[in-house]
Amino acid sequence: MREIVLEARAVTRTYGTGTGATHALRGVDVEIEQGRFTAIIGASGCGKSTLLQALGGLDAPTSGKVLLEGQDLYALPDAALARLRRTRLGFVFQAFHLLPEYTVRDNILLPLLLDKREPDEEYLALLTRQLGLTALLQRQPTQLSGGQQQRAALARILVGKPRILMLDEPFSALDSYLREEVEGEVGSLLANFVGTALLVTHNRDEAYRLCKEMIVLNEGQVLRAGTTKAVFADPQSIAAARLTGCKNILPCTPLDSHTVRLDGWDTTCLLYTSPSPRDCS
Ligand code: ADP
Ligand code: MG
């Protein structure tokens, strides 16, 4: 049975007012399934980060609700929301935000110290070993490579055993060589992560490799949501087809549910598997 851990209901987010207003989210409904990895993909500026921040209790929607395990996040007092964020959610942002004056070990343990929680040394040892950080724990962040900093930031998040991991384009700050290395490591770590994860990316390969579920955003709206395989196999709109990597897109006219005419080719084409696309012209 599908168990929904996090949902957005009719969420809008408008930045600014009047003629200068940006409608970053325009009525978004999403359901995030417990224990699954969901990718949020879409072109730059389509509202991915805004949605992730709304879902993660970081930025209140202009209207609509966000429910975490049925709890209306933005109805909570600020302190309760902040605690819930720290204890239940784990954010991975583009920037690493490691504190330069602390050692790598202290950086990793910081969220636990803030909540006066005892570190689980055994888990810390396992995590740092998995991430190849064991020998680097006493260093300062400035003595780490970009990839190592990224892994330390990830360890800092995982050490608190969050229920939901939230990653906002975690690999995009890395150059292509490092990106491959870190992506591979993080991918295998995520594969071992027992929990729910939300991965914002504009990289469809990353989404396909790492996530079972997918939400396609376009101009602040959900264009398509479902299993990654289903979305790739049948994106159902030109925008979603482009975002999932389809390069051959032909104009056509639907004749009935399984037949289209290829315009300009003077040819009728029978579709055996998919219904006729909805937005061809
Ligand atoms: P994405 O992550 O998909 O690139 P964002 O969610 O960051 O998109 O942004 C969606 C839209 O909202 C964009 O048009 C962006 O310029 C605008 N936007 C994002 N954050 C702010 C902000 N703090 N103030 C004003 N506009 C913003
Ligand atoms: Mg973004």
Side-chain angles (χ1 to χ4, degrees):
M1 208 188 79
R2 278 179 94 224
E3 190 189 336
I4 304 306
V5 61
L6 182 62
E7 55 186 302
R9 287 198 192 151
V11 164
T12 71
R13 177 66 168 103
T14 303
Y15 295 106
T17 52
T19 49
T22 303
H23 301 284
L25 298 175
R26 305 160 183 259
V28 169
D29 290 287
V30 293
E31 292 185 337
I32 306 301
E33 220 179 312
Q34 165 72 33
R36 291 242 175 172
F37 286 16
T38 301
I40 300 175
I41 71 162
S44 180
C46 74
K48 301 182 297 296
S49 296
T50 305
L51 178 60
L52 195 74
Q53 284 170 27
L55 287 169
L58 286 171
D59 179 61
T62 306
S63 66
K65 278 186 182 169
V66 175
L67 306 175
L68 174 63
E69 293 168 333
Q71 166 92 62
D72 183 349
L73 278 190
Y74 296 99
L76 288 170
D78 286 352
L81 177 58
R83 182 170 163 76
L84 191 139
R85 258 195 327 251
R86 278 206 308 276
T87 55
R88 311 276 274 287
L89 307 175
F91 293 92
V92 185
F93 293 106
Q94 283 163 3
F96 313 128
H97 301 303
L98 294 175
L99 302 178
E101 64 272 31
Y102 290 96
T103 62
V104 171
R105 182 188 151 88
D106 288 347
N107 262 286
I108 294 173
L109 292 177
L110 203 63
L112 298 185
L113 298 176
L114 280 175
D115 269 338
K116 301 191 174 57
R117 286 193 280 168
E118 282 297 314
D120 174 346
E121 290 290 343
E122 215 171 296
Y123 183 59
L124 178 69
L126 172 76
L127 206 56
T128 48
R129 199 167 55 242
Q130 276 181 338
L131 287 165
L133 294 168
T134 311
L136 309 173
L137 288 174
Q138 296 312 322
R139 290 205 192 164
Q140 306 298 125
T142 48
Q143 298 171 294
L144 302 187
S145 71
Q148 289 165 341
Q149 286 181 38
Q150 177 68 303
R151 284 184 265 143
L154 195 65
R156 182 175 58 188
I157 289 146
L158 293 173
V159 79
K161 302 181 183 167
R163 298 271 325 261
I164 308 179
L165 261 187
M166 300 195 151
L167 303 100
D168 192 349
E169 310 214 27
F171 313 114
S172 63
L174 305 171
D175 63 41
S176 64
Y177 170 72
L178 253 183
R179 189 186 168 95
E180 248 169 57
E181 177 195 320
V182 177
E183 199 187 301
E185 283 165 2
V186 174
S188 60
L189 195 101
L190 285 181
N192 290 322
F193 174 72
V194 189
T196 310
L198 270 177
L199 173 69
V200 164
T201 178
H202 59 247
N203 183 329
R204 57 182 171 260
D205 299 335
E206 211 167 270
Y208 193 82
R209 260 201 311 282
L210 298 174
C211 299
K212 272 248 162 33
E213 302 281 327
M214 175 173 277
I215 294 163
V216 182
L217 273 191
N218 187 45
E219 295 179 0
Q221 290 183 311
V222 176
L223 204 55
R224 180 93 162 82
T227 66
T228 305
K229 280 209 167 116
V231 174
F232 270 72
D234 184 13
Q236 293 183 356
S237 65
I238 293 171
R242 289 220 167 90
L243 285 166
T244 50
C246 188
K247 294 198 175 68
N248 297 313
I249 297 174
L250 296 174
C252 62
T253 308
L255 300 178
D256 60 42
S257 66
H258 281 78
T259 321
V260 294
R261 189 181 62 236
L262 298 182
D263 300 328
W265 289 42
D266 210 13
T267 304
T268 302
C269 181
L270 198 58
L271 303 172
Y272 286 102
T273 50
S274 308
S276 299
R278 289 193 219 125
D279 65 346
C280 56
S281 55

